[in-house]
Amino acid sequence: MAQLFHRGANNIAKASLVIAVLLAGVAFYAYTQLARSSYLTGRYLEKQQPVQFSHKHHVGDDGIDCRYCHTSVETSASAGIPPTQTCMNCHNQLYADQEYLEPVRASYRDNKPIKWERVHDLPGYAYFNHSIHVAKGVGCSTCHGQIDNMPAVYQENTLQMEWCLSCHRQPEDFIRPKSEIYNMQWKDSNLTAEQRLKLKADYKIRSKELLTSCSTCHR
Amino acid sequence: MSKLINQSSKLRMSKKLIYSLLIAAFCISAIGCRYDMQDQPRYKPFKESDFFSDEKAMRDLPENTVARGNLRENKAFYTGKKENADPNVQVETTMDEDGNTVVSSFPNAIEEFPIPVTKELLDRGEQRYKIFCMVCHGPVGAGDGMIVRRGYPKPSTYHNDRLRNAPVGHFYDVITNGWGKMNGYASQIPVADRWAIVAYIRALQISQDPNSKMTMDKSSTDSAGNTDNKDNADNAETEKDSDKAESSENKDADGGEK
């Protein structure tokens, strides 16, 4: 019986071992990149809303404070979606006959909430509380980005666990004075590293071990 | 012998079956992980509900529900009105500089703060004023906020005798229930914060009043706050008398005294 494989096949067999490992590596790398891509995380994707609401106009141009609408951000887990009445505080007079505000008026008339599309959707097994973050010096724009420049809001960050942990491991890289929480123009470089470390002590931010403990976020 | 072989191959077969079932179960459970755990069948704030007819997962309190310990017995604190307030009382009205009809007597409103006016309260009031009020009433309360510049009807300035002499309960009532074109802010501002804002409005009025002799120290040391009237009487008797006489002549309809 003749040999099925000629002698060169030995080299192919050896090379295939290396190639298999390389391929596995490339596949793993591709997977990690795909998992972080905006295709899977929704990062940078603008959501279409039932009303053409522009944060750029209301925050950037008009200078309305975040808390005018998101009233519960300092007191509860959810920052709060304003009731339609809050819209009508101004839009009972301003642009009151504009076609594109009809969904708002209809909502007010019929006492039915507007069905906003959720932009930041955390998985059900992750616990998040806005009030503790703003109370410990984490500003809005640290996580949400320059909302005052967003006509349609998009997710600035991946909201993946590694992103949460990047701050929970080193909050001193990201915190700011409590007076600047709602300042959209704040830059981390406004303070030196020592000043931020002092803030971390002043605000009694807990140790890295506690902040990265499983049950801090998965409770 | 052939029986034995048969048995062992059957055993092998069932082993294979068990393994493939296990792998299938693992794959299925992996799929389950992703969706069932990410979107758990429970309500989160502002979620939609297909159970309730209004499609809201967050339920409104039934009307007139009182949570334990939350009976609003302190009428002055929660309504800004006097204990014996008469809802049918007639109020005087006057025309302001923009031709709006405004009320100028406040028979039901309380004249003293129901909580101590402290530095902390004023600071809180300043912060809340800048969030909720400044957009229309402007940084010092002149009625020139950004929303007004965008076309919203101009609110009355705080810096006229009518509002300088208005009792604190009136400001509280306006924040709570609205006034004229302004909607009530009861759903946006908690009760204590409303009083803080009233205190800050008083501070703004004093800061812009050329005749005021009151210093900021006064308001921070006085516990149950003063209305402007009282302060005027206390502090500015000599200098203000002529002014006051004049203004009460001019704006008699204002009913400077309540």
Side-chain angles (χ1 to χ4, degrees), chain A residues 31 34-35 37 39-42 121 123-125 158 160, chain B residues 27-40:
Chain A
Y31 167 75
L34 183 70
S37 70
Y39 178 73
L40 285 185
T41 62
D121 196 7
Y125 46 76
T158 61
Q160 285 176 326
Chain B
C27 290
I28 289 168
S29 64
I31 296 168
C33 275
R34 177 86 191 160
Y35 295 108
D36 272 6
M37 288 188 70
Q38 291 226 324
D39 296 315
Q40 296 168 12

Side-chain angles (χ1 to χ4, degrees), chain A residues 49 51-62 100 116 147-153:
Chain A
Q49 300 288 356
V51 185
Q52 288 180 38
F53 178 83
S54 165
H55 274 85
K56 177 174 169 30
H57 174 67
H58 290 83
V59 184
D61 303 349
D62 291 344
Y100 64 87
W116 299 103
I147 292 280
D148 61 331
N149 281 339
M150 296 182 191
V153 168

Side-chain angles (χ1 to χ4, degrees), chain B residues 6-178:
Chain B
N6 246 351
Q7 263 184 351
S8 77
S9 75
K10 246 187 203 167
L11 237 160
R12 227 177 287 144
M13 279 291 285
S14 59
K15 250 187 185 172
K16 257 188 188 169
L17 195 72
I18 287 170
Y19 278 130
S20 52
L21 275 179
L22 270 180
I23 290 170
F26 176 77
C27 290
I28 289 168
S29 64
I31 296 168
C33 275
R34 177 86 191 160
Y35 295 108
D36 272 6
M37 288 188 70
Q38 291 226 324
D39 296 315
Q40 296 168 12
R42 61 182 164 91
Y43 289 139
K44 291 203 276 187
F46 302 101
K47 271 268 167 92
E48 196 173 345
S49 164
D50 52 11
F51 180 77
F52 297 108
S53 59
D54 60 4
E55 297 172 41
K56 289 194 287 189
M58 289 164 71
R59 309 309 303 152
D60 296 329
L61 282 181
E63 254 178 81
N64 302 324
T65 314
V66 178
R68 244 182 130 74
N70 282 359
L71 183 60
R72 299 187 154 191
E73 279 181 305
N74 186 345
K75 191 171 178 191
F77 180 63
Y78 285 107
T79 67
K81 295 206 164 66
K82 289 173 184 159
E83 199 54 59
N84 53 358
D86 173 9
N88 300 319
V89 73
Q90 289 295 312
V91 294
E92 296 166 29
T93 57
T94 181
M95 291 276 262
D96 72 357
E97 57 270 30
D98 298 322
N100 299 317
T101 306
V102 290
V103 72
S104 57
S105 73
F106 313 95
N108 286 335
I110 57 166
E111 299 183 16
E112 300 210 336
F113 281 96
I115 48 172
V117 179
T118 58
K119 174 80 167 57
E120 289 72 41
L121 190 81
L122 278 172
D123 288 344
R124 175 79 180 170
E126 176 179 9
Q127 190 197 44
R128 298 290 123 176
Y129 179 89
K130 286 175 176 168
I131 297 171
F132 295 107
C133 316
M134 195 173 77
V135 285
C136 287
H137 288 279
V140 294
D144 58 351
M146 182 54 91
I147 304 303
V148 172
R149 282 183 245 167
R150 298 259 188 247
Y152 203 89
K154 190 174 184 296
S156 176
T157 169
Y158 298 142
H159 311 299
N160 56 30
D161 281 347
R162 179 179 72 88
L163 284 179
R164 275 188 206 120
N165 295 328
V168 290
H170 171 66
F171 292 96
Y172 178 85
D173 183 53
V174 171
I175 299 173
T176 308
N177 301 313

Side-chain angles (χ1 to χ4, degrees), chain A residues 22-120:
Chain A
L22 272 179
L23 268 183
V26 167
F28 182 71
Y29 178 76
Y31 167 75
T32 60
Q33 293 308 302
L34 183 70
R36 294 181 175 102
S37 70
S38 65
Y39 178 73
L40 285 185
T41 62
R43 192 184 188 185
Y44 300 136
L45 296 182
E46 291 175 347
K47 279 259 172 87
Q48 290 301 311
Q49 300 288 356
V51 185
Q52 288 180 38
F53 178 83
S54 165
H55 274 85
K56 177 174 169 30
H57 174 67
H58 290 83
V59 184
D61 303 349
D62 291 344
I64 299 174
D65 193 282
C66 309
R67 291 163 287 181
Y68 185 93
C69 300
H70 303 293
T71 51
S72 60
V73 68
E74 291 168 308
T75 51
S76 60
S78 162
I81 302 294
T84 307
Q85 195 203 328
T86 303
C87 309
M88 296 307 276
N89 282 352
C90 295
H91 290 295
N92 58 3
Q93 303 288 328
L94 295 179
Y95 307 103
D97 49 2
Q98 293 291 318
E99 184 57 33
Y100 64 87
L101 284 183
E102 178 55 25
V104 178
R105 291 191 295 271
S107 157
Y108 194 59
R109 231 176 9 242
D110 307 337
N111 198 20
K112 274 193 173 167
I114 300 169
K115 291 183 183 175
W116 299 103
E117 288 293 324
R118 183 176 282 272
V119 177
H120 298 81

